[in-house]
Amino acid sequence: MSTYVKRLEQVGLADIDQVGGKNASLGEMIQHLTGSGVRVPGGFATTADAYRHFLAHDGLSERINATLAALDVADVTALAETGAKIRQWVMDTPFPPDLEQAIGDIYSELAQTYGDTSWAVRSSATAEDLPDASFAGQQETFLNVKGLDHILAAIHEVFASLYNDRAIAYRVHQGFEHSQVALSAGVQKMVRSDLAASGVLFTLDTESGFEDVVFITGSYGLGEMVVQGAVNPDEFYVYKPGLKAGRPAILRRNVGQKAVRMVYAEGQRVRIEDVPEAGRLRLCIDDEEATELAQQALAIEAHYGRPMDIEWAKDGIDGLLYIVQARPETVQSRRHSNRVERYALCERGPVLCEGRSIGHRIGSGRARVIGDIAEMARVEPGDVLVTDMTDPDWEPIMKRAAAIVTNRGGRTCHAAIIARELGVPAVVGCGDATERVPDGEPVTVSCAEGDTGYVYQGELAYDHKVTDLDDMPAIPVSIMMNLANPDRAFDYCQLPSAGVGLARLEFITNNMIGVHPKALLHPELLEDAEREAIARRAAAYRDPLHFYVERLAEGVATIAAAFAPRRVIVRLSDFKSNEYANLLGGKHFEPDEENPMIGLRGASRYVSPDFRPCFDLECRAMKKVRDEMGLTNVALMIPFVRTVEEAEAVIEALADNGLVRGDNGLELVMMCEIPANALLAEQFLEHFDGFSIGSNDLTQLTLGIDRDSGLVAGSFDERNPAVLALMEKAIDSCRSQGKYVGICGQGPSDHPDLADWLLQREISSISLNPDTVVDTWLFLARSDASTLN
């Protein structure tokens, strides 16, 4: 066979110098991973020899190299003019006859195998997709290409695309010599994802670098919509240890808007069409398919021995899932693992828009709302780039931006990938950023507040702290953390800690569900608009009750998986009646209490005949996390237990739902937050494996202070002698029985001296807000050292 073309199954990683990283990787997977269930469509690749043979015509190579040697890529106008001139030279140069013949011969061979099919023609540069070169997609992709003549034309376009503005600038910034880079055109059988779905997945979490998940994004139609950031895709997080153990392993599902899809079109290859609303509300693939994709991803990651960035496609005709590209992930895998970087706003301003946060940084500058790439010269260093979406042509100006904001896109879109590479914050998928952010005005882009990123009016003050976690000193107490938001779990689990001392179920209910559980049990009592709103939220799930249970399980499982095998103490719901009433449908089911803080809450709500069916739903979710998903590091905590009899009733209700203390290692912890809990500690501890002191409620109930009242807030202090006396009794009671005792209230986070007092009382653990973990740890280490001296 000619040295100018190779079938994909004939190449592997040893052939990168001839067919580039992308094509070499496809061949590597076909050769070595087919037996492991990884499906890769076949095809062929032109070689670097073919490309150089082509450039040898009429001194084309010499003209190109001389022109590029005189170019200053920082001059975007000159860059555009030079790139256009060189591309035209390439297009005006015909293929040598022997190269054209070689392409024709191999195409004929493949046509006999695949029949009348369509092809994708993609670039694979010899300097692209290498471990040290992380900007993928520098050259062009052509989809739904049919017939030899169109294949030849597309390959010609691919060759010319080596001199796109973005590709020229990229090589200069990465230190690649233009003359040393060659191009291979990959011609691969199309997967009919235009009739199904496609997307991008990573074998780690793209925001935190957490390596125990496969992160899958997907949308309807051809994959270019996800890659380009033209849609806000669906997302799945799949837990690798659970997958390997054969357990249900999907930690999280997020339904994207998926407003449009790219499909085949007669005469113009592809077109973009709207997705019907019913399709937008559903997930584009099911759990079984997400699990299969994750399994293929694990096989690929194991073969390459490193985190991977993978493109996938589902064929709408045969129903199978295929891998169409795989390359090393090159941002998070190079991150300094023992250093924690934290950004925090010092003030707030009006929110102009919001979307998905990329990274955890904050940036500010003058907003530049750019409607077209032709306006790129308007973006100056330090500006905030605001646009509809980006593609590789935008990269020269993205490098100047202090932050990036787009209307469209998800976590694996082009803007997100480049923002991570550049280390700047980005908020993608805002929907209306170009309308709501005023051009030329100062703004602050914050990605430091969880899954949602915000664009604030004005340049706001913020803190930036870098902490080196190497050689954290030993201390005689376990430091845990209070965590409400599952979105931050993969990030916070990398802080030094013994786990989570308080995971609040209310946050998951409020932010991931937003519906009162009784509204799902009794939809007949709701208004039509409420039933319609619930149907929209639950459309991706089997039914509304399944939606409620699964979303609770997803939130808890995400936190538990992030910290495994460390203990995660999940406090079951502790909404007050006024807080429950604010949930969708809640106004129909909640009493109007004069003082909800000491009303129907916690344990008394669980055992109330009226609320018991709602509590059963919580139990179903917890049982799934522990017994089905295998996350037995989850301990359950019961809040606001007023009497020993109430404690006994809750234990019985848990057992009725299959959550029996001691079974499968289940630990039950009680919140010690009512003076009666400390005074009768020995009796309460007969039913629990330990206490977690809730210093907030314990203080207000001991001192008779409403902690929400500004009139008496000045007297609220967890260090009051009466409060300390109750804490000390609770700690002593637990220690005398050899049981766990921790504290999860706000006090130790706000008052390091209280943390020191607890340390001296030999408390088992102190659970802190994540932003105070390192500082309090170091403070306690110094305090312990001074005590010993």
Side-chain angles (χ1 to χ4, degrees):
M1 181 176 288
S2 167
T3 60
Y4 298 148
V5 292
K6 298 284 185 183
R7 291 182 68 132
L8 290 179
E9 62 266 29
Q10 296 175 318
V11 301
L13 294 182
D15 301 297
I16 287 178
D17 63 334
Q18 276 296 311
V19 296
K22 194 176 299 180
N23 289 332
S25 182
L26 292 172
E28 181 80 8
M29 290 188 291
I30 293 172
Q31 287 189 49
H32 299 287
L33 296 177
T34 300
S36 300
V38 177
R39 299 186 196 90
V40 179
F44 72 93
T46 64
T47 66
D49 288 344
Y51 180 75
R52 294 189 176 102
H53 179 48
F54 167 70
L55 285 190
H57 273 294
D58 301 325
L60 180 58
S61 179
E62 288 76 10
R63 281 188 287 156
I64 290 173
N65 291 335
T67 302
L68 292 176
L71 174 66
D72 177 7
V73 295
D75 185 338
V76 292
T77 302
L79 175 62
E81 292 174 352
T82 300
K85 179 169 62 176
I86 294 175
R87 291 192 297 274
Q88 192 60 51
W89 289 347
V90 173
M91 294 303 298
D92 290 342
T93 303
F95 285 144
D98 53 348
L99 174 55
E100 188 166 325
Q101 181 65 45
I103 295 171
D105 289 345
I106 200 167
Y107 175 79
S108 297
E109 286 181 23
L110 289 166
Q112 292 178 9
T113 302
Y114 295 112
D116 182 23
T117 189
S118 58
W119 304 84
V121 182
R122 296 184 176 93
S123 69
S124 184
T126 58
E128 188 186 3
D129 298 334
L130 296 179
D132 294 327
S134 57
F135 285 8
Q138 293 296 325
Q139 284 76 49
E140 299 295 342
T141 294
F142 300 92
L143 303 177
N144 191 22
V145 182
K146 291 187 174 182
L148 179 58
D149 288 344
H150 291 115
I151 292 285
L152 288 166
I155 292 173
H156 217 147
E157 292 270 10
V158 165
F159 280 9
S161 73
L162 189 63
Y163 301 101
N164 281 335
D165 302 351
R166 61 184 182 268
I168 294 171
Y170 171 71
R171 290 195 293 276
V172 171
H173 291 305
Q174 295 293 319
F176 293 115
E177 291 289 339
H178 296 291
S179 59
Q180 298 302 310
V181 178
L183 198 68
S184 167
V187 180
Q188 186 179 33
K189 181 185 179 296
M190 285 285 291
V191 176
R192 290 303 304 270
S193 57
D194 61 305
L195 303 175
S198 57
V200 179
L201 66 84
F202 290 81
T203 60
L204 46 59
D205 175 47
T206 54
E207 300 310 305
S208 67
F210 180 67
E211 294 188 352
D212 273 348
V213 290
V214 176
F215 174 48
I216 302 170
T217 67
S219 190
Y220 299 116
L222 300 174
E224 290 301 298
M225 292 287 94
V226 177
V227 173
Q228 293 173 5
V231 294
N232 300 331
D234 295 333
E235 298 176 348
F236 293 83
Y237 290 90
V238 186
Y239 186 45
K240 292 179 185 177
L243 194 66
K244 293 173 183 176
R247 292 182 176 274
I250 296 178
L251 297 177
R252 190 81 176 269
R253 307 164 186 86
N254 293 322
V255 180
Q257 295 175 342
K258 307 182 298 294
V260 296
R261 62 186 169 200
M262 181 182 286
V263 298
Y264 284 11
E266 290 297 327
Q268 54 182 356
R269 293 183 181 160
V270 295
R271 62 182 173 85
I272 297 173
E273 66 180 22
D274 291 339
V275 173
E277 184 177 17
R280 300 182 192 187
L281 296 176
R282 295 192 302 268
L283 292 160
C284 66
I285 56 174
D286 60 27
D287 286 1
E288 184 178 344
E289 290 166 333
T291 299
E292 182 185 340
L293 281 173
Q295 289 169 335
Q296 293 197 43
L298 283 187
I300 295 169
E301 181 180 54
H303 179 76
Y304 284 84
R306 60 179 299 160
M308 297 295 289
D309 169 355
I310 299 166
E311 294 183 26
W312 64 270
K314 178 183 176 182
D315 194 300
I317 296 176
D318 65 22
L320 298 177
L321 295 163
Y322 294 86
I323 302 301
V324 296
Q325 284 191 43
R327 52 186 164 258
E329 193 280 339
T330 54
V331 177
Q332 289 296 345
S333 55
R334 293 188 297 189
R335 194 172 59 92
H336 192 295
S337 59
N338 290 324
R339 182 176 298 154
V340 174
E341 189 174 27
R342 290 284 177 268
Y343 287 77
L345 284 173
C346 301
E347 56 183 329
R348 291 289 193 279
V351 175
L352 299 174
C353 63
E354 62 183 64
R356 300 301 301 271
S357 64
I358 304 302
H360 303 302
R361 293 179 167 89
I362 298 173
S364 60
R366 180 178 54 181
R368 280 301 177 206
V369 182
I370 304 297
D372 188 270
I373 191 65
E375 302 177 68
M376 69 165 65
R378 293 181 55 223
V379 180
E380 298 179 0
D383 285 350
V384 173
L385 173 62
V386 183
T387 190
D388 182 51
M389 58 178 278
T390 68
D391 61 35
D393 286 325
W394 290 72
E395 287 167 21
I397 60 170
M398 294 171 78
K399 294 182 176 69
R400 306 175 187 172
I404 298 166
V405 181
T406 68
N407 290 339
R408 296 190 281 170
R411 284 187 169 174
T412 57
C413 72
H414 176 266
I417 291 170
I418 300 306
R420 290 188 197 99
E421 171 66 24
L422 297 174
V424 299
V427 180
V428 301
C430 297
D432 54 3
T434 52
E435 298 173 10
R436 300 189 60 181
V437 178
D439 183 58
E441 293 298 313
V443 297
T444 298
V445 177
S446 173
C447 295
E449 300 169 66
D451 192 49
T452 301
Y454 299 93
V455 181
Y456 293 98
Q457 180 179 312
E459 293 198 36
L460 305 179
Y462 61 88
D463 285 333
H464 174 211
K465 179 186 293 186
V466 178
T467 303
D468 195 328
L469 301 181
D470 288 328
D471 302 320
M472 290 290 287
I475 53 176
V477 66
S478 293
I479 297 295
M480 303 178 81
M481 67 180 73
N482 303 329
L483 183 61
N485 186 354
D487 294 335
R488 302 305 304 273
F490 296 153
D491 184 39
Y492 287 144
C493 72
Q494 297 172 59
L495 288 169
S497 79
V500 176
L502 172 62
R504 301 180 179 93
L505 211 61
E506 309 89 71
F507 185 96
I508 297 169
T509 304
N510 196 45
N511 289 271
M512 293 178 60
I513 299 171
V515 182
H516 195 292
K518 292 196 74 172
L520 305 174
L521 291 163
H522 298 286
E524 72 279 2
L525 301 179
L526 304 179
E527 299 166 2
D528 289 344
E530 292 171 322
R531 279 193 291 269
E532 181 180 344
I534 290 171
R536 290 177 62 86
R537 293 186 189 211
Y541 294 80
R542 188 170 65 235
D543 56 56
L545 288 177
H546 181 247
F547 159 72
Y548 187 86
V549 172
E550 286 295 305
R551 292 299 273 175
L552 280 181
E554 289 172 26
V556 172
T558 298
I559 298 172
F563 285 85
R566 292 169 287 175
R567 176 192 278 162
V568 171
I569 301 176
V570 177
R571 185 181 70 188
L572 299 177
S573 61
D574 193 25
F575 277 123
K576 291 76 174 174
S577 55
N578 59 321
E579 295 167 338
Y580 257 127
N582 290 328
L583 296 173
L584 181 59
K587 65 182 181 181
H588 303 289
F589 305 106
E590 290 299 322
D592 183 14
E593 295 185 283
E594 288 293 330
N595 194 342
M597 188 71 75
I598 54 174
L600 184 63
R601 60 177 288 200
S604 60
R605 186 178 276 269
Y606 304 159
V607 299
S608 162
D610 186 57
F611 191 80
R612 173 64 186 270
C614 303
F615 180 64
D616 292 344
L617 295 178
E618 287 185 31
C619 292
R620 279 170 54 185
M622 298 307 102
K623 188 168 177 59
K624 174 177 180 176
V625 171
R626 285 185 44 83
D627 296 349
E628 294 180 33
M629 301 182 74
L631 291 163
T632 54
N633 60 320
V634 168
L636 300 182
M637 183 156 65
I638 312 303
F640 223 76
V641 185
R642 292 180 168 93
T643 66
V644 174
E645 292 74 22
E646 204 169 65
E648 294 171 345
V650 171
I651 298 298
E652 183 177 344
L654 287 167
D656 289 343
N657 282 282
L659 294 168
V660 178
R661 179 184 168 200
D663 282 6
N664 200 18
L666 175 61
E667 293 180 305
L668 297 181
V669 178
M670 192 188 90
M671 287 283 287
C672 179
E673 54 190 338
I674 299 171
N677 301 152
L679 295 171
L680 300 179
E682 290 79 5
Q683 296 178 47
F684 280 105
L685 284 170
E686 292 178 12
H687 305 285
F688 294 95
D689 296 296
F691 279 170
S692 181
I693 298 170
S695 57
N696 298 346
D697 275 332
L698 186 61
T699 301
Q700 78 165 346
L701 294 173
T702 302
L703 302 181
I705 292 175
D706 180 353
R707 71 188 195 209
D708 291 334
S709 172
L711 299 175
V712 292
S715 300
F716 186 95
D717 192 334
E718 299 93 330
R719 298 165 295 180
N720 181 280
V723 180
L724 294 179
L726 290 171
M727 287 189 191
E728 187 164 21
K729 186 175 189 321
I731 294 169
D732 290 345
S733 296
C734 289
R735 293 190 66 243
S736 68
Q737 297 190 29
K739 294 194 174 185
Y740 167 82
V741 58
I743 185 168
C744 61
Q746 184 69 25
S749 295
D750 290 344
H751 307 298
D753 57 327
L754 175 59
D756 184 43
W757 182 88
L758 293 164
L759 177 70
Q760 305 309 318
R761 299 306 179 280
E762 299 184 18
I763 196 167
S764 305
S765 75
I766 300 174
S767 195
L768 304 164
N769 295 338
D771 60 347
T772 66
V773 164
V774 173
D775 289 344
T776 304
W777 185 308
L778 296 175
F779 171 83
L780 292 176
R782 291 191 297 270
S783 175
D784 185 53
S786 64
T787 301
L788 292 175
N789 292 332

